[in-house]
Amino acid sequence: MTSTEAEPTPVEVQIGGLLEALHASQQKPDPRFTVASLIAALGVHSHIVVILVFSVLNMVPGPPGYGGTIAFAIIGFSIAMLLGAPLTLPGWIRRRKLPAKALMRVTKLFARMAAAMARVSRPRYLLISAPVFQPVLALFIIAVSLPMMLPIPFINAIPNAGICVLCLGWINRDAVVIIAGIVLALVGLTIAGAAIWGVWHLANAAVGAVQ
């Protein structure tokens, strides 16, 4: 007798492990959930999954410096993937506390999205997501993340949504989703570039007016 129940996708398995770690952290007397906790929950070699989760995190509002720290972390993870090294970050980032309750809400929502996408997403054109192209993926994510380090409001959401979709497609080995993520990230990068250009020119105009 064969089962008709579909096997969970790799993303669903990883997200399930993250939810369990989040639940466990909230049962402790000191319910801290740090960057180090997240990496421990997902594994030091789960570069793309960790980048995926951090791209979701960078769409969650946070205190000043939060977005830049997350972008710095994504760049660090991408460099580790580029070098084939385990995930590691400076101590000050590893100790950075993450908003566990907000992360849990977002992760649950993302788990539902991943399950819905699993119904239509399937391995397609596998050459695009071959391991040999992971350095190209890492370089692209670094390029998209660099502008996110600047303290300019409202430039993170679309580029990080693109990274999220791109990583999801890569893990599921679906070239159609990968291309959609690349397009979305490039659109976000264009908008971010326009915002940075606007802020630069406004700053120059303000300095000129003062002088």
Side-chain angles (χ1 to χ4, degrees):
M1 181 177 174
T2 59
S3 173
T4 58
E5 187 175 341
E7 290 290 326
T9 63
V11 174
E12 290 176 289
V13 173
Q14 295 280 2
I15 293 300
L18 175 57
L19 282 172
E20 289 178 7
L22 283 165
H23 279 296
S25 74
Q26 296 307 294
Q27 306 305 315
K28 295 179 180 178
D30 178 22
R32 288 176 56 85
F33 196 81
T34 62
V35 172
S37 304
L38 191 148
I39 294 173
L42 295 174
V44 295
H45 295 285
S46 302
H47 300 81
I48 300 176
V49 179
V50 172
I51 291 170
L52 168 63
V53 173
F54 270 71
S55 67
V56 174
L57 273 176
N58 215 8
M59 292 185 278
V60 177
Y66 171 82
T69 301
I70 297 298
F72 185 88
I74 290 174
I75 291 169
F77 298 145
S78 301
I79 292 172
M81 179 166 64
L82 186 64
L83 300 176
L87 292 170
T88 184
L89 285 169
W92 65 274
I93 292 186
R94 286 189 283 111
R95 292 189 296 270
R96 181 75 183 244
K97 187 177 178 181
L98 297 174
K101 291 183 179 178
L103 177 58
M104 189 177 295
R105 289 195 298 269
V106 171
T107 304
K108 286 179 179 178
L109 173 62
F110 182 69
R112 291 194 291 270
M113 291 171 58
M117 184 169 286
R119 299 190 188 101
V120 296
S121 176
R122 64 183 185 278
R124 285 179 279 197
Y125 308 108
L126 301 182
L127 179 62
I128 291 178
S129 57
V132 69
F133 289 116
Q134 279 200 9
V136 179
L137 172 67
L139 290 172
F140 180 79
I141 293 173
I142 291 170
V144 174
S145 298
L146 280 171
M148 304 304 103
M149 296 183 67
L150 298 175
I152 300 175
F154 312 120
I155 66 171
N156 287 358
I158 298 177
N160 280 285
I163 293 174
C164 176
V165 173
L166 170 58
C167 291
L168 181 61
W170 197 282
I171 294 166
N172 285 340
R173 304 209 66 185
D174 188 342
V176 174
V177 178
I178 290 171
I179 292 169
I182 291 171
V183 171
L184 185 57
L186 289 175
V187 168
L189 192 59
T190 302
I191 294 171
I196 293 167
W197 182 87
V199 169
W200 174 260
H201 279 268
L202 283 173
N204 282 341
V207 171
V210 170
Q211 293 176 345

